[in-house]
């Protein structure tokens, strides 16, 4: 109600700017500060893999610059990365669909590029029959585009 927010306004200087830190406080702070070259215990470098808890796909850390954060490594879906290594980039408007229904099977032979517009049909939106629930002999017919 008074208009005071407790936030710094743009250009406001803090009260302790330029003042030295007392030596006893500095010693306590530096005892727990990160040392140069320190790696945390939970660091995961290139080659680390995990299963994504949200959607069940295998995610791996690759040694490529992350275009969004600028970090030296970036996470990618393992099936897509391996498929692109063998077949090149996924065509525009297409997605990869696993043929055996196991998202953790990242063998490029298990994945097939399909038009993105086919996903509602494969998820059973119109027919009620989901691709992953269909018998093995019907799966090629379900994924045919003609």
């Amino acid at each position: 109600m008074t208009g005071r927010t407790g936030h710094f306004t743009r250009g406001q200087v803090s009260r302790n700017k330029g003042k030295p830190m007392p030596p006893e406080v500095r010693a306590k702070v530096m005892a727990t500060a990160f040392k140069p070259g320190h790696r945390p215990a939970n660091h995961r470098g290139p080659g680390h893999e995990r299963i994504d808890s949200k959607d069940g796909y295998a995610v791996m850390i690759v040694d490529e610059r992350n275009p969004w954060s600028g970090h030296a490594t970036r996470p990618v879906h393992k099936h897509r990365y391996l498929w692109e290594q063998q077949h090149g980039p996924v065509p525009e408007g297409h997605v990869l669909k696993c043929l055996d229904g196991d998202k953790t099977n990242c063998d490029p032979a298990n994945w097939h590029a399909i038009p993105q517009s086919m996903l509602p049909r494969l998820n059973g939106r119109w027919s009620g029959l989901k691709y992953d629930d269909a018998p093995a002999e019907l799966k090629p017919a379900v994924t045919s585009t003609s």
Side-chain angles (χ1 to χ4, degrees), residues 28-89:
K28 287 181 182 178
V29 169
M30 294 311 291
T32 59
F34 284 112
K35 308 297 185 266
H38 172 76
R39 293 274 180 160
N42 62 350
H43 172 74
R44 303 291 184 254
H48 174 74
E49 296 179 12
R50 65 180 169 85
I51 303 297
D52 191 7
S53 60
K54 182 179 176 184
D55 54 16
Y57 289 101
V59 176
M60 64 186 281
I61 306 297
V62 295
D63 196 15
E64 295 176 359
R65 179 134 329 260
N66 190 325
W68 297 280
S69 68
H71 196 269
T73 60
R74 71 184 188 111
V76 295
H77 283 117
K78 184 177 180 182
H79 68 277
R80 185 178 180 108
Y81 181 79
L82 295 175
W83 195 88
E84 287 178 348
Q85 295 296 317
Q86 189 171 6
H87 301 286

Side-chain angles (χ1 to χ4, degrees), residues 55 57 96-104 110-111 114 118-125 127-140 142-143:
D55 54 16
Y57 289 101
L96 295 178
K97 176 68 179 152
C98 62
L99 299 177
D100 66 358
D102 180 13
K103 296 177 186 178
T104 59
N110 182 43
W111 295 85
I114 60 166
M118 188 186 272
L119 286 178
R121 181 170 78 176
L122 295 179
N123 290 329
R125 185 167 184 150
S127 66
L129 176 65
K130 292 185 177 184
Y131 175 83
D132 293 335
D133 298 338
E137 60 270 5
L138 290 181
K139 286 186 178 186
V142 174
T143 58

